[in-house]
Amino acid sequence: MVGSENLKQIYFFLDDSGVLHKNEKSGFFVYAGYVFVGNDTKDSAKRQYKELCRNIKEANGYHGELKSCFLENKHRRALVKVLSMYDSISCSVNISRVYQKILSEKLSRFRYKDYIIKRLVKEKINDLINRKIISAHDDIKLFINIDEQHTATNGWYNLKNSIEEELLNGISNFDYGRTYPPILHGNLTLEIQYCDSKNNYLIQASDMIANYIWHSCIGDINMFSLPKHFSLQFP
């Protein structure tokens, strides 16, 4: 049971861009999104994003969810820039460097996506600790929200248990004789939710930044400054 004293609520919102497959012509796959510590920052970001969406819809006659695939560049940039002062995250995968045995099997691709998410969560939490936004000894309530169409968990591989194990107990890589210590030493409650983007503005925002970073990976755009952005590259 997580106590109320020193309890930190951390929210991850994630979506992807590109296709993790050997036939992906762009050569890149991206996960990206936002991280919020506490409800106040999360709710503030949601209000700002929702308000800008409303303004763009009214000015252009759009209806429903604003998807990055049909918006003009200026609107995509605006929807990324409006949240630029919040913590954003991304990991980009150079598909040409991924083992073919991973790319050729559906289950292996799912497991690799889960591995990416686990690494991104772990490294971002480590970043929050290093910046003294949270303490390694805090009690943590961690919420990971992912666009539902990218569900990767199955009976053979459990993302939730894998993240809990690595954060709280560390992990040993027997193939390379290396041990990675735990990074959290308090209590941890973890919830993973697969979300319908049309009902979740912060998943929509994650779609927007994932698409934006994917376009930067393939050289379509020059990224403007994201001062609180945290990025990883794989493999």
Side-chain angles (χ1 to χ4, degrees):
M1 181 77 176
V2 175
S4 58
E5 189 175 355
N6 297 325
L7 173 66
K8 296 290 174 62
Q9 293 181 311
I10 305 175
Y11 299 85
F12 281 74
F13 293 85
L14 293 168
D15 202 353
D16 69 17
S17 189
V19 180
L20 186 64
H21 194 276
K22 61 183 179 181
N23 296 329
E24 170 60 38
K25 293 181 180 179
S26 75
F28 287 92
F29 173 79
V30 169
Y31 261 119
Y34 293 91
V35 179
F36 306 98
V37 179
N39 278 305
D40 290 345
T41 52
K42 173 177 66 71
D43 293 343
S44 175
K46 178 182 175 181
R47 284 193 298 271
Q48 288 179 259
Y49 193 83
K50 184 177 180 180
E51 177 69 13
L52 182 55
C53 284
R54 186 172 65 86
N55 292 341
I56 292 173
K57 288 178 186 179
E58 289 178 356
N60 296 276
Y62 295 144
H63 300 281
E65 178 184 347
L66 296 182
K67 299 286 288 184
S68 57
C69 57
F70 70 75
L71 287 175
E72 296 179 46
N73 283 336
K74 65 179 181 180
H75 294 143
R76 285 198 293 262
R77 286 176 65 87
L79 286 164
V80 173
K81 206 162 191 175
V82 72
L83 299 185
S84 63
M85 297 308 295
Y86 294 93
D87 278 48
S88 57
I89 54 174
S90 68
C91 58
S92 56
V93 179
N94 185 333
I95 296 173
S96 67
R97 298 175 59 190
V98 178
Y99 290 127
Q100 286 299 308
K101 64 183 180 181
I102 292 175
L103 297 174
S104 60
E105 297 179 3
K106 185 176 182 180
L107 178 59
S108 294
R109 293 195 299 272
F110 280 167
R111 292 184 64 178
Y112 192 71
K113 286 184 179 182
D114 280 355
Y115 167 73
I116 292 169
I117 292 170
K118 179 180 70 172
R119 281 288 309 280
L120 192 54
V121 169
K122 178 183 178 181
E123 298 303 332
K124 181 56 186 176
I125 289 177
N126 220 12
D127 173 63
L128 294 174
I129 293 170
N130 291 337
R131 290 162 56 200
K132 302 189 186 305
I133 293 173
I134 64 171
S135 164
H137 297 278
D138 285 336
D139 291 335
I140 302 291
K141 198 166 186 180
L142 179 59
F143 302 88
I144 301 175
N145 303 276
I146 310 170
D147 186 83
E148 67 178 353
Q149 66 176 308
H150 308 302
T151 303
T153 52
N154 52 65
W156 292 12
Y157 191 83
N158 190 302
L159 177 60
K160 181 175 183 291
N161 289 345
S162 177
I163 292 174
E164 289 173 337
E165 178 73 15
E166 186 145 346
L167 293 180
L168 293 175
N169 300 321
I171 190 170
S172 296
N173 188 320
F174 296 106
D175 292 334
Y176 295 97
R178 298 185 66 179
T179 299
Y180 299 90
I183 64 170
L184 293 179
H185 305 286
N187 295 312
L188 174 67
T189 300
L190 171 60
E191 294 183 17
I192 295 178
Q193 184 173 359
Y194 294 94
C195 308
D196 184 344
S197 62
K198 71 174 180 286
N199 298 321
N200 191 310
Y201 278 97
L202 293 176
I203 291 292
Q204 293 177 31
S206 299
D207 163 67
M208 207 62 59
I209 195 170
N211 181 268
Y212 186 71
I213 290 171
W214 179 81
H215 276 286
S216 75
C217 287
I218 66 174
D220 278 358
I221 59 171
N222 294 317
M223 285 185 64
F224 56 77
S225 174
L226 295 171
K228 299 183 74 174
H229 189 69
F230 179 89
S231 64
L232 298 175
Q233 287 79 40
F234 288 93

Short mmCIF file of all heavy atoms in Angstrom, two decimals, residues 7-13 34-47 86-87 128 133-134 138-143 145 202:
data_model
loop_
_atom_site.label_atom_id
_atom_site.label_comp_id
_atom_site.label_asym_id
_atom_site.label_seq_id
_atom_site.Cartn_x
_atom_site.Cartn_y
_atom_site.Cartn_z
N LEU A 7 4.33 10.83 -1.53
CA LEU A 7 3.76 10.16 -2.70
C LEU A 7 3.88 11.07 -3.91
O LEU A 7 3.48 12.23 -3.87
CB LEU A 7 2.30 9.80 -2.46
CG LEU A 7 1.54 9.23 -3.68
CD1 LEU A 7 2.12 7.89 -4.09
CD2 LEU A 7 0.05 9.11 -3.38
N LYS A 8 4.44 10.55 -5.00
CA LYS A 8 4.54 11.27 -6.25
C LYS A 8 3.75 10.52 -7.31
O LYS A 8 3.93 9.32 -7.49
CB LYS A 8 6.00 11.41 -6.69
CG LYS A 8 6.85 12.25 -5.74
CD LYS A 8 6.48 13.72 -5.79
CE LYS A 8 7.24 14.55 -4.74
NZ LYS A 8 8.68 14.52 -4.92
N GLN A 9 2.88 11.26 -8.00
CA GLN A 9 2.13 10.69 -9.12
C GLN A 9 2.82 11.10 -10.42
O GLN A 9 3.01 12.30 -10.68
CB GLN A 9 0.69 11.17 -9.10
CG GLN A 9 -0.10 10.64 -7.90
CD GLN A 9 -1.55 11.09 -7.91
OE1 GLN A 9 -1.83 12.27 -8.10
NE2 GLN A 9 -2.46 10.16 -7.72
N ILE A 10 3.19 10.12 -11.23
CA ILE A 10 3.89 10.38 -12.49
C ILE A 10 3.05 9.80 -13.63
O ILE A 10 2.65 8.63 -13.58
CB ILE A 10 5.29 9.76 -12.48
CG1 ILE A 10 6.09 10.24 -11.27
CG2 ILE A 10 6.03 10.08 -13.79
CD1 ILE A 10 7.45 9.55 -11.14
N TYR A 11 2.81 10.62 -14.63
CA TYR A 11 1.97 10.23 -15.77
C TYR A 11 2.80 10.23 -17.05
O TYR A 11 3.43 11.24 -17.41
CB TYR A 11 0.81 11.21 -15.94
CG TYR A 11 -0.13 11.27 -14.77
CD1 TYR A 11 0.13 12.11 -13.68
CD2 TYR A 11 -1.28 10.49 -14.73
CE1 TYR A 11 -0.73 12.18 -12.60
CE2 TYR A 11 -2.15 10.55 -13.65
CZ TYR A 11 -1.87 11.39 -12.59
OH TYR A 11 -2.72 11.45 -11.51
N PHE A 12 2.80 9.11 -17.75
CA PHE A 12 3.39 9.01 -19.09
C PHE A 12 2.26 8.89 -20.11
O PHE A 12 1.30 8.14 -19.90
CB PHE A 12 4.27 7.76 -19.21
CG PHE A 12 5.63 7.86 -18.60
CD1 PHE A 12 5.80 7.84 -17.22
CD2 PHE A 12 6.76 7.97 -19.41
CE1 PHE A 12 7.06 7.92 -16.65
CE2 PHE A 12 8.03 8.04 -18.85
CZ PHE A 12 8.18 8.02 -17.47
N PHE A 13 2.39 9.61 -21.21
CA PHE A 13 1.48 9.49 -22.36
C PHE A 13 2.35 9.22 -23.58
O PHE A 13 3.30 9.96 -23.85
CB PHE A 13 0.66 10.76 -22.55
CG PHE A 13 -0.32 11.01 -21.44
CD1 PHE A 13 0.08 11.67 -20.29
CD2 PHE A 13 -1.64 10.57 -21.54
CE1 PHE A 13 -0.82 11.90 -19.25
CE2 PHE A 13 -2.53 10.78 -20.50
CZ PHE A 13 -2.13 11.44 -19.36
N TYR A 34 4.64 12.63 -23.55
CA TYR A 34 4.83 13.60 -22.48
C TYR A 34 4.84 12.91 -21.12
O TYR A 34 4.23 11.84 -20.94
CB TYR A 34 3.73 14.66 -22.52
CG TYR A 34 3.82 15.53 -23.76
CD1 TYR A 34 3.13 15.19 -24.91
CD2 TYR A 34 4.63 16.67 -23.77
CE1 TYR A 34 3.24 15.96 -26.06
CE2 TYR A 34 4.73 17.44 -24.91
CZ TYR A 34 4.04 17.09 -26.05
OH TYR A 34 4.16 17.85 -27.18
N VAL A 35 5.51 13.56 -20.17
CA VAL A 35 5.59 13.06 -18.79
C VAL A 35 5.22 14.21 -17.85
O VAL A 35 5.73 15.33 -18.00
CB VAL A 35 7.00 12.55 -18.45
CG1 VAL A 35 7.06 12.06 -17.01
CG2 VAL A 35 7.41 11.44 -19.41
N PHE A 36 4.34 13.93 -16.90
CA PHE A 36 3.91 14.94 -15.94
C PHE A 36 4.05 14.38 -14.52
O PHE A 36 3.67 13.23 -14.26
CB PHE A 36 2.45 15.33 -16.18
CG PHE A 36 2.18 15.76 -17.60
CD1 PHE A 36 1.64 14.88 -18.52
CD2 PHE A 36 2.47 17.05 -18.01
CE1 PHE A 36 1.40 15.26 -19.83
CE2 PHE A 36 2.24 17.45 -19.32
CZ PHE A 36 1.70 16.56 -20.23
N VAL A 37 4.58 15.21 -13.63
CA VAL A 37 4.64 14.85 -12.22
C VAL A 37 3.57 15.65 -11.51
O VAL A 37 3.64 16.88 -11.42
CB VAL A 37 6.03 15.15 -11.62
CG1 VAL A 37 6.05 14.80 -10.13
CG2 VAL A 37 7.11 14.37 -12.36
N GLY A 38 2.54 14.96 -11.05
CA GLY A 38 1.41 15.60 -10.38
C GLY A 38 0.27 15.93 -11.32
O GLY A 38 0.46 16.11 -12.53
N ASN A 39 -0.92 16.02 -10.73
CA ASN A 39 -2.12 16.29 -11.52
C ASN A 39 -2.16 17.71 -12.06
O ASN A 39 -2.71 17.95 -13.14
CB ASN A 39 -3.37 16.03 -10.68
CG ASN A 39 -3.74 14.57 -10.63
OD1 ASN A 39 -3.92 13.93 -11.65
ND2 ASN A 39 -3.85 14.03 -9.42
N ASP A 40 -1.60 18.67 -11.32
CA ASP A 40 -1.73 20.06 -11.73
C ASP A 40 -1.06 20.31 -13.08
O ASP A 40 -1.65 20.95 -13.96
CB ASP A 40 -1.12 20.98 -10.67
CG ASP A 40 -1.96 21.03 -9.39
OD1 ASP A 40 -3.13 20.58 -9.45
OD2 ASP A 40 -1.46 21.51 -8.37
N THR A 41 0.18 19.82 -13.25
CA THR A 41 0.86 20.04 -14.52
C THR A 41 0.16 19.29 -15.65
O THR A 41 0.04 19.79 -16.77
CB THR A 41 2.33 19.61 -14.45
OG1 THR A 41 2.41 18.27 -13.95
CG2 THR A 41 3.12 20.53 -13.55
N LYS A 42 -0.30 18.07 -15.36
CA LYS A 42 -1.01 17.29 -16.37
C LYS A 42 -2.27 18.00 -16.83
O LYS A 42 -2.54 18.14 -18.04
CB LYS A 42 -1.36 15.90 -15.81
CG LYS A 42 -2.27 15.07 -16.73
CD LYS A 42 -2.52 13.69 -16.15
CE LYS A 42 -3.31 13.71 -14.87
NZ LYS A 42 -4.73 14.09 -15.09
N ASP A 43 -3.06 18.48 -15.89
CA ASP A 43 -4.32 19.14 -16.22
C ASP A 43 -4.09 20.47 -16.93
O ASP A 43 -4.85 20.85 -17.83
CB ASP A 43 -5.17 19.33 -14.96
CG ASP A 43 -5.64 18.02 -14.37
OD1 ASP A 43 -5.59 16.99 -15.07
OD2 ASP A 43 -6.06 18.01 -13.19
N SER A 44 -3.03 21.18 -16.54
CA SER A 44 -2.70 22.44 -17.20
C SER A 44 -2.34 22.20 -18.67
O SER A 44 -2.78 22.92 -19.57
CB SER A 44 -1.54 23.12 -16.48
OG SER A 44 -1.13 24.28 -17.16
N ALA A 45 -1.51 21.19 -18.93
CA ALA A 45 -1.13 20.86 -20.30
C ALA A 45 -2.34 20.45 -21.13
O ALA A 45 -2.49 20.86 -22.29
CB ALA A 45 -0.10 19.74 -20.29
N LYS A 46 -3.21 19.67 -20.53
CA LYS A 46 -4.42 19.24 -21.24
C LYS A 46 -5.28 20.43 -21.63
O LYS A 46 -5.78 20.51 -22.76
CB LYS A 46 -5.23 18.28 -20.36
CG LYS A 46 -6.53 17.82 -20.99
CD LYS A 46 -7.29 16.91 -20.03
CE LYS A 46 -8.66 16.54 -20.60
NZ LYS A 46 -9.42 15.66 -19.65
N ARG A 47 -5.45 21.39 -20.71
CA ARG A 47 -6.26 22.58 -21.01
C ARG A 47 -5.65 23.38 -22.16
O ARG A 47 -6.36 23.84 -23.06
CB ARG A 47 -6.38 23.46 -19.76
CG ARG A 47 -7.36 22.93 -18.72
CD ARG A 47 -7.67 23.99 -17.68
NE ARG A 47 -6.48 24.41 -16.94
CZ ARG A 47 -6.07 23.82 -15.83
NH1 ARG A 47 -6.73 22.78 -15.32
NH2 ARG A 47 -4.99 24.27 -15.20
N TYR A 86 6.70 21.70 -21.24
CA TYR A 86 6.47 20.52 -20.40
C TYR A 86 7.48 19.44 -20.78
O TYR A 86 8.09 19.47 -21.85
CB TYR A 86 5.05 19.99 -20.60
CG TYR A 86 3.97 20.95 -20.13
CD1 TYR A 86 3.38 21.86 -21.01
CD2 TYR A 86 3.55 20.95 -18.81
CE1 TYR A 86 2.40 22.74 -20.58
CE2 TYR A 86 2.56 21.83 -18.37
CZ TYR A 86 2.00 22.72 -19.26
OH TYR A 86 1.02 23.59 -18.83
N ASP A 87 7.67 18.47 -19.89
CA ASP A 87 8.61 17.38 -20.17
C ASP A 87 8.08 16.50 -21.29
O ASP A 87 7.01 15.89 -21.17
CB ASP A 87 8.81 16.53 -18.91
CG ASP A 87 9.81 17.13 -17.95
OD1 ASP A 87 9.71 18.34 -17.64
OD2 ASP A 87 10.70 16.39 -17.50
N LEU A 128 14.35 12.28 -13.89
CA LEU A 128 13.60 13.04 -12.88
C LEU A 128 14.30 12.98 -11.53
O LEU A 128 14.32 13.97 -10.78
CB LEU A 128 12.17 12.49 -12.76
CG LEU A 128 11.27 12.68 -13.98
CD1 LEU A 128 9.94 11.94 -13.76
CD2 LEU A 128 11.02 14.15 -14.28
N ILE A 133 13.53 16.29 -9.15
CA ILE A 133 12.08 16.51 -9.23
C ILE A 133 11.36 15.46 -8.38
O ILE A 133 10.33 15.73 -7.77
CB ILE A 133 11.62 16.48 -10.69
CG1 ILE A 133 12.21 17.68 -11.43
CG2 ILE A 133 10.10 16.49 -10.80
CD1 ILE A 133 11.98 17.68 -12.92
N ILE A 134 11.92 14.26 -8.35
CA ILE A 134 11.47 13.21 -7.44
C ILE A 134 12.70 12.65 -6.74
O ILE A 134 13.83 12.90 -7.15
CB ILE A 134 10.69 12.07 -8.15
CG1 ILE A 134 11.62 11.33 -9.12
CG2 ILE A 134 9.47 12.62 -8.87
CD1 ILE A 134 11.01 10.06 -9.70
N ASP A 138 11.02 8.19 -2.76
CA ASP A 138 9.59 8.54 -2.74
C ASP A 138 8.74 7.31 -3.01
O ASP A 138 9.18 6.35 -3.68
CB ASP A 138 9.27 9.57 -3.84
CG ASP A 138 9.75 10.97 -3.50
OD1 ASP A 138 9.90 11.27 -2.30
OD2 ASP A 138 9.96 11.76 -4.43
N ASP A 139 7.52 7.33 -2.51
CA ASP A 139 6.51 6.39 -2.96
C ASP A 139 5.96 6.92 -4.28
O ASP A 139 5.64 8.10 -4.40
CB ASP A 139 5.39 6.24 -1.94
CG ASP A 139 5.85 5.55 -0.66
OD1 ASP A 139 6.84 4.79 -0.74
OD2 ASP A 139 5.25 5.78 0.40
N ILE A 140 5.87 6.03 -5.27
CA ILE A 140 5.51 6.44 -6.63
C ILE A 140 4.22 5.76 -7.06
O ILE A 140 4.07 4.55 -6.91
CB ILE A 140 6.62 6.07 -7.63
CG1 ILE A 140 7.95 6.73 -7.24
CG2 ILE A 140 6.22 6.45 -9.06
CD1 ILE A 140 8.00 8.21 -7.37
N LYS A 141 3.32 6.55 -7.63
CA LYS A 141 2.16 6.02 -8.33
C LYS A 141 2.35 6.37 -9.80
O LYS A 141 2.33 7.54 -10.18
CB LYS A 141 0.87 6.61 -7.78
CG LYS A 141 -0.37 5.80 -8.13
CD LYS A 141 -1.57 6.22 -7.29
CE LYS A 141 -2.75 5.28 -7.56
NZ LYS A 141 -3.92 5.67 -6.76
N LEU A 142 2.61 5.37 -10.61
CA LEU A 142 3.02 5.55 -12.00
C LEU A 142 1.89 5.13 -12.94
O LEU A 142 1.40 4.00 -12.86
CB LEU A 142 4.28 4.73 -12.25
CG LEU A 142 4.90 4.72 -13.64
CD1 LEU A 142 5.28 6.13 -14.07
CD2 LEU A 142 6.11 3.80 -13.67
N PHE A 143 1.50 6.05 -13.81
CA PHE A 143 0.45 5.79 -14.79
C PHE A 143 1.07 5.87 -16.19
O PHE A 143 1.62 6.90 -16.57
CB PHE A 143 -0.66 6.82 -14.68
CG PHE A 143 -1.31 6.91 -13.33
CD1 PHE A 143 -0.79 7.75 -12.35
CD2 PHE A 143 -2.44 6.16 -13.04
CE1 PHE A 143 -1.38 7.84 -11.11
CE2 PHE A 143 -3.04 6.24 -11.78
CZ PHE A 143 -2.51 7.08 -10.82
N ASN A 145 0.09 5.64 -20.09
CA ASN A 145 -1.04 5.68 -21.01
C ASN A 145 -0.51 5.59 -22.44
O ASN A 145 0.31 6.41 -22.86
CB ASN A 145 -1.82 6.99 -20.82
CG ASN A 145 -2.30 7.17 -19.40
OD1 ASN A 145 -3.34 6.66 -19.00
ND2 ASN A 145 -1.51 7.89 -18.60
N LEU A 202 -4.16 14.23 -24.34
CA LEU A 202 -2.72 14.08 -24.16
C LEU A 202 -2.16 12.91 -24.97
O LEU A 202 -0.97 12.92 -25.32
CB LEU A 202 -2.39 13.94 -22.67
CG LEU A 202 -2.67 15.23 -21.88
CD1 LEU A 202 -2.42 15.02 -20.39
CD2 LEU A 202 -1.83 16.40 -22.39
#
